[in-house]
């Protein structure tokens, strides 16, 4: 492997140049610009590394870049990545976010760590091995999409259409990280989400506030509906919400217990005195991984400007999210939310689905899991931190 490492060192400047070009594409998914151009450049990168490539299409989705490079065995590893990025309009940038710069040994730019830098690194790693040894021990596939930052709404359709092309023995997800002490993290699952927008209306007109004594206020209805979804104890009050829950195995529980210091870290980093539902600090890691929960992402209604304006709003909206664990189903939760609203007298509240992704879990007893842990320890020379 020393020859592979030397190859990477010899070609790192070219890789950084490729990263600079890739990050210069303003592929902000929510704005929908430059997506096709970015996909074409990613395809070019895979072509240049010797992959057989094609673009995958379904209606309503940005193109997916697919690449395959055959190996000697019948084993196949698929890398998932995405070329879209979040907007860069938040304050605090010290340089042009779409122009990569190097400073003090770090690389800065929108997408460098999520997820364009990961694409460049993985392509370089595969190319280095192939060029040094002449072939790969296994087949490598890439699935690089352009809708991750908006919830991948069409990924199910893409997988169903191209499932034969995407067959693999294992998948490595988009990226990784280290904790604040420099230990590599490995994640073996992710919560699902049922992301909704609720819209309460009554007359459909803005009225004078004097009418509030006789006409229902959409904002009040919405606030009451939201409050009805969660008990004072923090439990979710929607009937059937907890019907389908995965019971973590021994390995998952041990991994969570090994991260029990997360609670104290959170208290220090976020300057909080207590946790939701009064969770004990040492139990935070368990709840973080194995407890589904309800989030109000935002509420909007009526007049919020300076001074007074005596009105009753024409509508009130809220964006909410249910974070799910295996074996909950996002579409099933959506049905239960709608029934909860109907059963509790909130028929004037419309439910719009913005995103629905099911939770995923790789059993920590799987042989591939052990392999990833051993490789991480060999590369980083420390034991990785395991997130169930």
């Amino acid at each position: 492997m020393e020859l592979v490492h030397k190859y990477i060192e010899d070609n790192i400047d070219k890789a950084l140049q490729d990263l600079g070009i890739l990050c210069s594409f303003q592929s902000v998914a929510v704005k929908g610009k430059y997506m096709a151009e970015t996909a074409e450049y990613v395809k070019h990168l895979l072509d240049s590394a010797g992959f057989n490539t094609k673009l995958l299409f379904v209606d309503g989705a940005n193109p997916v870049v697919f690449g395959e490079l055959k190996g000697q065995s019948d084993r196949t590893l698929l890398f998932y990545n995405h070329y879209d990025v979040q907007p860069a309009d938040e304050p605090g940038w010290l340089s042009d976010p779409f122009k990569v710069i190097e400073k003090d040994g770090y690389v800065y730019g929108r997408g460098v760590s999520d997820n364009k830098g990961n694409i460049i690194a993985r392509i370089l790693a595969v190319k280095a091995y192939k060029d040094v040894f002449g072939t790969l021990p296994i087949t490598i596939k890439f699935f690089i999409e352009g809708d991750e930052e908006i919830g991948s709404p069409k990924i199910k359709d893409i997988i169903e259409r191209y499932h034969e092309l995407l067959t693999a023995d294992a998948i490595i997800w988009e990226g990784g990280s280290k904790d604040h002490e420099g230990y590599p993290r490995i994640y073996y699952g992710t919560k699902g989400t049922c992301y909704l927008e609720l819209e309460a209306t009554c007359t459909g007109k803005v009225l004078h506030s004097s009418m509030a004594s006789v006409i229902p206020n959409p904002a009040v209805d919405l606030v009451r509906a939201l409050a009805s979804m969660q008990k004072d104890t923090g439990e979710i009050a929607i009937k059937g919400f907890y019907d389908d829950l995965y019971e973590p195995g021994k390995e998952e529980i041990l991994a969570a217990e090994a991260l029990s210091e997360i609670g104290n870290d959170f208290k220090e980093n976020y300057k909080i005195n207590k946790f939701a539902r009064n969770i004990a600090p040492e139990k935070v890691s368990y709840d973080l991984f194995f407890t589904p929960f309800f989030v109000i992402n935002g509420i909007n209604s009526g007049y919020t400007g300076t001074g007074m304006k005596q009105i009753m709003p024409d509508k009130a909206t809220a964006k909410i999210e249910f974070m799910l664990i295996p074996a909950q189903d996002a579409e099933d939760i959506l049905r239960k939310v709608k029934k909860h609203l109907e059963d509790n007298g909130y028929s004037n509240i419309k439910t719009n689905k913005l995103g629905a992704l099911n939770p995923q879990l790789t059993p920590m007893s799987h042989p591939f899991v052990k392999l990833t842990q051993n490789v991480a320890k060999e590369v980083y020379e420390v034991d990785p931190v395991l997130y169930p």
Side-chain angles (χ1 to χ4, degrees), residues 173 186-192 289 326 359-364 387-388:
W173 210 243
I186 306 179
Y187 295 82
Y188 294 106
T190 180
K191 282 191 170 75
F289 298 123
Q360 300 296 331
L361 177 76
T362 298
M364 296 186 71
Y387 284 72

Side-chain angles (χ1 to χ4, degrees), residues 40-59:
E40 286 290 349
Y41 185 71
V42 172
K43 184 177 183 297
H44 160 73
L45 292 172
L46 287 172
D47 287 334
S48 301
F51 282 79
N52 294 316
T53 64
K54 62 173 63 178
L55 297 178
L56 312 182
F57 297 96
V58 297
D59 290 342

Side-chain angles (χ1 to χ4, degrees), residues 303-318:
Y303 180 70
T304 58
T306 57
M308 293 174 55
K309 189 173 184 181
Q310 292 181 286
I311 63 147
M312 188 167 71
D314 57 334
K315 68 178 180 179
T317 61

Side-chain angles (χ1 to χ4, degrees), residues 60-363:
N62 289 312
V64 171
V65 185
F66 173 80
E68 181 176 10
L69 189 55
K70 292 288 188 181
Q72 291 179 306
S73 76
D74 60 354
R75 295 290 191 184
T76 298
L77 178 65
L78 186 148
F79 287 114
Y80 167 91
N81 288 93
H82 62 92
Y83 60 81
D84 61 312
V85 295
Q86 287 279 2
D89 49 11
E90 71 274 18
W93 284 95
L94 302 179
S95 60
D96 183 344
F98 294 103
K99 184 176 181 180
V100 167
I101 65 167
E102 293 182 61
K103 183 179 180 182
D104 300 328
Y106 293 91
V107 181
Y108 296 88
R110 173 55 89 220
V112 161
S113 66
D114 184 12
N115 183 241
K116 295 177 177 179
N118 309 75
I119 295 172
I120 298 296
R122 288 176 173 181
I123 293 174
L124 176 58
V126 174
K127 189 174 188 301
Y129 194 99
K130 179 181 72 71
D131 287 358
V132 168
F133 294 106
T135 186
L136 297 177
I138 61 173
T139 294
I140 298 291
K141 294 180 180 180
F142 274 92
F143 177 99
I144 307 175
E145 67 156 320
D147 293 300
E148 194 272 348
E149 299 291 5
I150 54 172
S152 304
K154 295 292 183 176
I155 195 168
K156 182 179 179 182
D157 296 341
I158 294 168
I159 292 170
E160 288 177 350
R161 176 174 293 185
Y162 298 102
H163 67 277
E164 292 184 1
L165 200 63
L166 302 174
T167 301
D169 295 289
I171 299 174
I172 303 291
W173 210 243
E174 63 179 81
S177 60
K178 296 179 182 179
D179 65 17
H180 62 281
E181 294 179 341
Y183 288 88
R185 295 164 166 161
I186 306 179
Y187 295 82
Y188 294 106
T190 180
K191 282 191 170 75
T193 180
C194 179
Y195 198 111
L196 310 174
E197 182 178 62
L198 304 184
E199 181 178 314
T201 57
C202 184
T203 64
K205 297 179 180 179
V206 176
L207 302 175
H208 191 274
S209 56
S210 63
M211 302 296 288
S213 62
V214 292
I215 304 241
N217 187 327
V220 173
D221 285 347
L222 181 64
V223 170
R224 285 176 175 164
L226 293 173
S228 75
M229 293 182 183
Q230 190 169 20
K231 300 177 182 179
D232 292 342
T233 59
E235 290 181 296
I236 296 168
I238 295 168
K239 186 176 180 180
F241 183 84
Y242 296 104
D243 283 355
D244 302 301
L245 293 181
Y246 167 79
E247 289 293 332
K250 178 182 177 181
E251 291 87 353
E252 282 82 19
I253 292 174
L254 289 174
E257 290 176 348
L259 293 164
S260 61
E261 284 300 311
I262 279 181
N264 290 325
D265 291 342
F266 285 178
K267 288 188 77 171
E268 181 179 347
N269 293 338
Y270 303 134
K271 310 301 181 188
I272 56 175
N273 296 320
K274 66 175 184 177
F275 292 102
R277 306 184 306 283
N278 289 315
I279 307 166
E282 64 272 15
K283 299 294 184 182
V284 165
S285 58
Y286 186 92
D287 270 49
L288 196 62
F289 298 123
F290 305 126
T291 301
F293 54 90
F294 167 55
V295 184
I296 298 175
N297 304 100
I299 303 175
N300 186 45
S301 184
Y303 180 70
T304 58
T306 57
M308 293 174 55
K309 189 173 184 181
Q310 292 181 286
I311 63 147
M312 188 167 71
D314 57 334
K315 68 178 180 179
T317 61
K319 292 190 177 181
I320 66 173
E321 184 175 13
F322 295 90
M323 299 296 288
L324 311 176
I325 69 167
Q328 290 179 303
D329 179 84
E331 294 292 344
D332 177 60
I333 297 300
L334 172 59
R335 288 190 292 270
K336 289 172 178 174
V337 170
K338 289 182 175 180
K339 190 171 189 312
H340 173 86
L341 292 172
E342 182 180 336
D343 290 348
N344 285 274
Y346 299 110
S347 57
N348 63 319
I349 296 180
K350 184 169 66 174
T351 304
N352 301 313
K353 181 179 74 173
L354 300 183
L357 293 172
N358 287 334
Q360 300 296 331
L361 177 76
T362 298

